[in-house]
Amino acid sequence: MTKSSLQIARAAYQPKLPKALKGAVVAKMGEATQSVADQEAIQKLFPNTYGMPLIQFVEGEAKEFAPMNVGVILSGGQAPGGHNVISGLFDGIKKLNPANKLYGFILGPGGLVDHNYKELTADIIDEYRNTGGFDIIGSGRTKLEKEDQFEKGYEILKELGIKALVIIGGDDSNTNACVLAEYYAAKNYGIQVIGCPKTIDGDLKNDMIETSFGFDTACKTYSEVIGNIERDCNSARKYWHFIKLMGRSASHIALECALQTQPNVCIISEEVEAKNMSLDDVVTYIAQVVADRAADGNNFGTVLIPEGLIEFIPAMKRLIAELNDFLAANGEEFNAIPANEQRAYIISKLSAENSAIYASLPEGVARQLSLDRDPHGNVQVSLIETEKLLSEMVGKKLAAWKKEGKYNGKFSAQHHFFGYEGRCAAPSNFDADYCYSLGYTASMLIANGKTGYMSSVRNTTAPAAEWIAGGVPITMMMNMERRHGEMKPVIQKALVKLDGAPFKAFAAQRAAWAKETAYVYPGPIQYFGPSEVCDEPTKTLQLEQAK
Ligand code: FBP
């Protein structure tokens, strides 16, 4: 297989480990834990895995371990560093006993249920060290939540002599990992389940999990390209660039990229919701920045938009909910109507408030809202071209202001969507080290007989040698939430906190960034070179950890 020079050099990179994990370790037990909320209900649902203590690994005496087999699953969207979690896990279990074996389940949780797996041997692992992607075994979005799936999984785990299963996933996958851990514990099947925090979205984090892996590399990849666009923009001085950034619901990616590149505008969905802003409020805010810059002779700029924005605009949320219900009940009638009359039909059927909003939307977006449904009958908001929606509406507003003599500039827009470009990038040193440490820590949790824990590596703004490795009971991160009409135990999703340091730092500077051209050009991720260039954590982490 042909490899690039960087791939060859990067294969030899030895990820940095916390000092405590370099030799033999012992598990130091902390205090018993409680769930973040709804303690009684969570305890009742997880009698075997509730209330367990926090664990920290510290240097200890070497011990002998009987041979064991371990399974691993990659779940959900790709995130840079997944291969290093697996290589850290592999090296960890081999160090415990060279006879230990690692099995990977193919294409996500579905591989466990369908008994689709392969043994991950040293030569396979070596091919994937420090590489991006999840292609070593593939990933998938099958939800592991039903008893018959757990039983099908048990069949193959028993057949392969697997003692522990590591599930690498986001909040939902780790919630399901905990449900599986509880199920196997209740049944006395002797199979441990350990989770690892993954997602570029950065929304799986709490007091004990400082960040999810992949967020660092993905944001650095997007920020490199945003910086390049900003420089182009500041060179030609003729375009407004509207850039949509991935992140299904939380705006952590947009916020981090804003902190790295200092654009003229960055919308944060959580703020839009908290301030009960309408679509028109968002459009007016952007148009005002455009007009103010035009008054200074600057007819150019950059705007960052989080992917999930539409669902956070309260009025849009209400419109989408009514549309979902209406189309679920009247889909056939709607589909029988000629395409050019569908818009008018919907306008005539919705409640007055929603009908007015729908009528105000550009043709293309209105069509996307009424056509694209996922298998559950919901609008696929990620398919909505919010960047085009906003620039079109800003353009209209500016044209109106021009007539009123309130604006006298030129507005020409370019559109971009950065998402998939960053999910499989070669992991930054931070993610390469962090992921390897998470995988290695998972092997230590297994060796210590733990189940229902998430691998945790903390103190991540310090040099890697000082990182603190351990385990957090997954039940500690849970609360009860209404999902599909039922109350369910789930890991709390971490949205952007408006009173958190990253948002406050952004809010304090955004007016200056709007007016001035204060762009920062982060450049590409550096894999070799001085530590201050290669090992820097995200601005989000730096601001959150600055005490
Ligand atoms: P996870 O939550 O599974 O990590 O996935 C995150 C994500 O990359 C979102 O940012 C994005 O909205 C979504 O996956 C896209 O999903 P898909 O890969 O199925 O198109």
Side-chain angles (χ1 to χ4, degrees):
M1 205 203 294
T2 314
K3 287 190 175 151
S4 69
S5 311
L6 181 68
Q7 268 179 296
I8 295 164
R10 193 66 180 158
Y13 178 75
Q14 184 52 50
K16 301 185 268 301
L17 266 181
K19 194 164 148 268
L21 293 187
K22 285 187 182 151
V25 305
V26 65
K28 200 173 92 183
M29 300 296 168
E31 302 273 303
T33 57
Q34 287 207 334
S35 57
V36 275
D38 309 307
Q39 290 84 6
E40 214 172 296
I42 306 278
Q43 180 163 25
K44 214 164 151 195
L45 290 165
F46 296 89
N48 295 282
T49 51
Y50 186 86
M52 300 183 299
L54 289 168
I55 291 175
Q56 185 183 332
F57 290 116
V58 294
E59 288 156 67
E61 296 281 299
K63 269 204 300 189
E64 294 220 338
F65 290 91
M68 64 175 179
N69 296 340
V70 171
V72 65
I73 295 176
L74 289 163
S75 181
Q78 284 71 253
H83 290 158
N84 271 28
V85 179
I86 295 181
S87 55
L89 174 65
F90 179 85
D91 291 352
I93 64 168
K94 288 288 182 188
K95 196 161 174 186
L96 292 166
N97 188 326
N100 289 345
K101 284 187 184 169
L102 181 62
Y103 290 94
F105 289 95
I106 310 296
L107 288 174
L112 178 73
V113 180
D114 302 337
H115 300 187
N116 193 3
Y117 64 90
K118 77 170 173 200
E119 188 189 339
L120 297 172
T121 51
D123 52 331
I124 299 178
I125 295 283
D126 287 347
E127 278 295 305
Y128 289 92
R129 288 181 192 271
N130 308 309
T131 58
F134 278 5
D135 42 325
I136 187 170
I137 45 175
S139 186
R141 290 198 183 275
T142 302
K143 277 185 186 295
L144 269 188
E145 54 186 358
K146 299 198 183 85
E147 259 189 60
D148 59 323
Q149 294 175 312
F150 300 167
E151 287 294 333
K152 285 299 282 180
Y154 176 56
E155 270 173 29
I156 189 68
L157 294 170
K158 200 165 63 170
E159 191 182 312
L160 295 172
I162 289 178
K163 168 184 157 66
L165 182 64
V166 176
I167 299 184
I168 304 172
D171 51 343
D172 283 341
S173 305
N174 274 285
T175 295
N176 295 337
C178 194
V179 175
L180 187 64
E182 177 65 33
Y183 182 86
Y184 286 166
K187 293 265 175 180
N188 264 320
Y189 283 172
I191 293 174
Q192 302 156 238
V193 184
I194 301 294
C196 275
K198 170 236 72 168
T199 177
I200 62 161
D201 292 2
D203 55 8
L204 171 47
K205 64 174 172 183
N206 48 56
D207 289 347
M208 302 309 297
I209 302 293
E210 293 179 356
T211 186
S212 56
F213 80 76
F215 177 68
D216 184 276
T217 310
C219 290
K220 284 174 180 163
T221 305
Y222 304 142
S223 296
E224 176 204 347
V225 195
I226 295 165
N228 294 349
I229 287 176
E230 287 179 337
R231 205 147 217 171
D232 193 274
C233 166
N234 195 18
S235 304
R237 306 196 181 174
K238 61 177 181 181
Y239 291 128
W240 272 88
H241 290 268
F242 283 70
I243 305 169
K244 183 173 80 169
L245 291 162
M246 236 184 201
R248 192 189 300 276
S249 43
S251 306
H252 297 292
I253 294 178
L255 178 56
E256 171 64 24
C257 292
L259 291 166
Q260 288 194 28
T261 62
Q262 304 191 174
N264 304 101
V265 174
C266 175
I267 306 294
I268 300 296
S269 306
E270 290 83 345
E271 184 183 26
V272 168
E273 183 171 49
K275 292 186 172 166
N276 198 12
M277 288 169 82
S278 64
L279 186 56
D280 186 59
D281 293 335
V282 177
V283 169
T284 305
Y285 167 66
I286 301 172
Q288 194 58 57
V289 174
V290 174
D292 290 348
R293 283 179 66 79
D296 292 343
N298 296 322
N299 288 300
F300 64 94
T302 47
V303 181
L304 304 188
I305 302 148
E307 182 183 57
L309 176 65
I310 285 286
E311 278 195 311
F312 280 78
I313 298 175
M316 289 298 290
K317 212 176 186 171
R318 289 194 293 274
L319 165 64
I320 291 171
E322 189 179 344
L323 264 177
N324 282 346
D325 290 350
F326 177 77
L327 289 173
N330 305 283
E332 257 177 53
E333 188 180 318
F334 173 75
N335 287 327
I337 289 172
N340 61 353
E341 291 167 26
Q342 285 178 338
R343 186 180 161 100
Y345 167 81
I346 293 220
I347 292 172
S348 73
K349 297 288 182 182
L350 295 179
S351 63
E353 187 204 353
N354 289 334
S355 166
I357 296 172
Y358 188 83
S360 74
L361 296 174
E363 184 83 40
V365 175
R367 195 172 326 111
Q368 278 163 347
L369 279 182
S370 54
L371 288 185
D372 297 317
R373 288 290 182 281
D374 75 4
H376 304 283
N378 297 316
V379 174
Q380 287 179 273
V381 281
S382 63
L383 296 181
I384 297 169
E385 294 172 313
T386 333
E387 68 283 20
K388 292 195 180 142
L389 164 74
L390 289 178
S391 88
E392 208 174 310
M393 295 181 84
V394 166
K396 274 196 188 149
K397 184 150 295 242
L398 290 169
W401 286 356
K402 201 168 235 176
K403 278 195 191 142
E404 293 166 30
K406 287 205 269 180
Y407 163 73
N408 188 19
K410 284 188 193 131
F411 178 73
S412 178
Q414 296 284 351
H415 306 105
H416 316 265
F417 170 39
F418 299 142
Y420 300 99
E421 295 83 346
R423 295 202 314 184
C424 284
S428 60
N429 280 1
F430 178 90
D431 272 328
D433 299 345
Y434 182 55
C435 290
Y436 188 81
S437 301
L438 285 172
Y440 199 94
T441 303
S443 74
M444 298 299 131
L445 288 166
I446 296 168
N448 281 276
K450 301 301 167 195
T451 191
Y453 275 80
M454 190 182 289
S455 178
S456 137
V457 173
R458 293 183 297 126
N459 200 27
T460 49
T461 49
E466 292 162 36
W467 289 357
I468 298 166
V472 187
I474 301 179
T475 50
M476 187 185 177
M477 307 169 200
M478 287 188 168
N479 66 169
M480 301 296 290
E481 285 178 25
R482 183 165 292 282
R483 297 277 169 98
H484 304 295
E486 261 182 85
M487 289 308 279
K488 293 258 183 197
V490 292
I491 296 178
Q492 260 186 349
K493 202 182 258 310
L495 298 178
V496 168
K497 287 188 181 147
L498 301 184
D499 58 355
F503 180 79
K504 279 184 170 169
F506 160 73
Q509 300 174 84
R510 65 177 153 189
W513 297 349
K515 191 165 167 56
E516 293 154 20
T517 303
Y519 304 150
V520 176
Y521 313 112
I525 294 175
Q526 300 294 305
Y527 299 95
F528 301 99
S531 178
E532 68 272 20
V533 180
C534 299
D535 299 333
E536 195 186 13
T538 56
K539 303 276 178 214
T540 303
L541 259 185
Q542 291 181 49
L543 288 159
E544 282 173 348
Q545 304 289 311
K547 304 264 157 56

